[in-house]
Amino acid sequence: MTAKRPRNAGLYGLMLAGLLALAPALQAADIQSVRVWRAPDNTRLVFDLSGPVQHTLFSLSAPERVVIDVPASSFKAAVNQLELKDTPIQSVRAAMHTATDLRVVLDLSAAVNAKSFTLPPNQQYGHRLVVDLYDMQAGAVSQVSAPNVTPAPTVAPVPAPQPSSAPKVPGKLTPLPSRGSRNVIIAIDAGHGGEDPGALGPNGLREKHVVLEISKELQRQINATKGFRAELTRTGDYFIALRRRTEIARAKGADMFVSIHADAALRKSAYGASVFALSNSGATSETARWLADKENQSDLIGGVGGINLDEHDKMLRGVLLDMSMNASMSSSLDVGQKVLNNMGRITRLHKQRVEQAGFMVLKSPDIPSILVETGFISNPGESARLATKAHQQALAKAVSAGLREYFHNHPPVGTYLAQQKDSGKLPQGPRQHIVSRGDTLALIATRYQVPLTRLRQANNLSTDVIKVGQTLAIPVN
């Protein structure tokens, strides 16, 4: 006689398999080192681990502390040399909370909003536990959160600058040229930063450092140009989330967003600079996200462009948002081509036309945005050039020239450049377009907002047939 199989044997087997799958995560791990990064509104601690861990995080007050409990772990990091200046952290201490469980305590000088998460290994680091401490707003009340609760960061809203005002920002600024007009504002975004080094060059050159230097030089050159002002999304070596970068640009009232990067590839022979604008698929997905987010609906165009999406029905909101996104993409492709053409005069190009992709930092429906890959940091030759001040200055000059050319032709209403153009004092720069695969004459006319007949006349075309690589003169509209 055979024994009966338990009715829930299959379920028991699945539960056992699940427990076995979790076993590696429950193994003992060491905290091997700690790193600290300070940003303008938050402090990030990164705990390097010998393996994956589980953890809980909670806050205590009187005095202010953040507590991290890490089961089945030990603390082997040296914390005496941590650079805690200008952070709310007064000390980092650790002890065994139970026979096997570790407790790490951050003693604070002020209340913070804390959140945490773990990261898997990458090409540079192993397992990591990341703790972000966000500065509290002035007058905010500290709250004690229970274990396993990770409060969301509170970001103080920053009002967009008024046309007649000159916001105070670090560094040299170009004063407003005349009463009643304002500068064109360029938001410059140095990619990566802090715990995210970006691509690595063959000699240890880090993308985050190179692009910050290029961004600072670009800011210097733009601020030296009458009618322009440049703002950096990050001014030092710290991490900023991708969407937060565009939020900073919007809060500063940016007319253009330029993200600076240095590319990498598995093939060390890959070379050349590139410029990217948002793709159609990226625009479609972002439009859907904005329409689905009721908070964004009122903040987007209502706060920046004077059209409140909440005042219209769903269909009209979609039409308005599509129009804003299409206009932003068209402007992005236009300015991107001008930047690319200027970069081609000082460095080799990876592609002769602006490429399109769904990069998160390009998804602003209300701000034309481009991403500039200054070269392949993985290429030994280009890496060496990217590390030099001379090449960084040349790249910044090329990007700045492309931006000036675009805004001389399309100055935003209320700016000094628009005032100069209306009075006939602003020279029109030459406009050219290099035909790339997929271009049609009608598409180019739409992109540059010129009548198709004028585009034909300017290039002595009897038909609409054009060839890849052909250079077209774009008439002033």
Side-chain angles (χ1 to χ4, degrees), residues 172-177 182-186 217-230 396-397 399-405 407-408 416-417 426:
K172 178 183 176 182
L173 298 181
T174 305
L176 289 176
R182 66 172 179 86
N183 289 311
V184 172
I185 303 172
I186 310 294
E217 175 60 25
L218 178 58
Q219 181 192 36
R220 187 193 66 79
Q221 292 186 20
I222 289 174
N223 282 344
T225 306
K226 190 173 183 179
F228 288 85
R229 188 178 82 244
K397 185 176 181 180
V399 176
S400 177
L403 294 170
R404 288 199 309 272
E405 183 182 338
F407 280 109
H408 278 198
Y416 169 75
L417 295 184
L426 191 66

Side-chain angles (χ1 to χ4, degrees), residues 243 280-294 296-297 300 314 317-318 321-322 325 363 365:
R243 287 202 184 277
N280 289 322
S281 59
T284 301
S285 64
E286 188 66 6
T287 299
R289 190 187 75 85
W290 277 95
L291 287 174
D293 190 328
K294 292 184 179 180
N296 283 336
Q297 286 178 19
L300 174 62
K314 184 176 180 180
R317 288 201 301 266
L321 198 53
D322 278 338
M325 183 67 84
K363 293 185 175 183

Side-chain angles (χ1 to χ4, degrees), residues 227-280:
F228 288 85
R229 188 178 82 244
E231 302 271 12
L232 295 175
T233 60
R234 75 173 175 97
T235 58
D237 185 15
Y238 50 85
F239 176 82
I240 304 178
L242 295 178
R243 287 202 184 277
R244 178 61 182 151
R245 295 169 186 263
T246 56
E247 290 171 4
I248 292 171
R250 186 172 291 112
K252 292 180 181 294
D255 299 292
M256 177 66 64
F257 180 90
V258 182
S259 191
I260 305 296
H261 289 257
D263 217 339
L266 294 176
R267 293 184 300 107
K268 291 184 178 181
S269 59
Y271 67 88
S274 307
V275 176
F276 286 85
L278 184 62
S279 65
N280 289 322

Side-chain angles (χ1 to χ4, degrees), residues 210 213-214 217 220-221 346-347 382 384-398:
V210 170
E213 291 303 311
I214 295 172
E217 175 60 25
R220 187 193 66 79
Q221 292 186 20
I346 59 100
T347 190
E382 287 201 335
R385 295 182 69 203
L386 286 168
T388 66
K389 286 290 184 184
H391 192 58
Q392 292 171 5
Q393 291 172 354
L395 288 168
K397 185 176 181 180

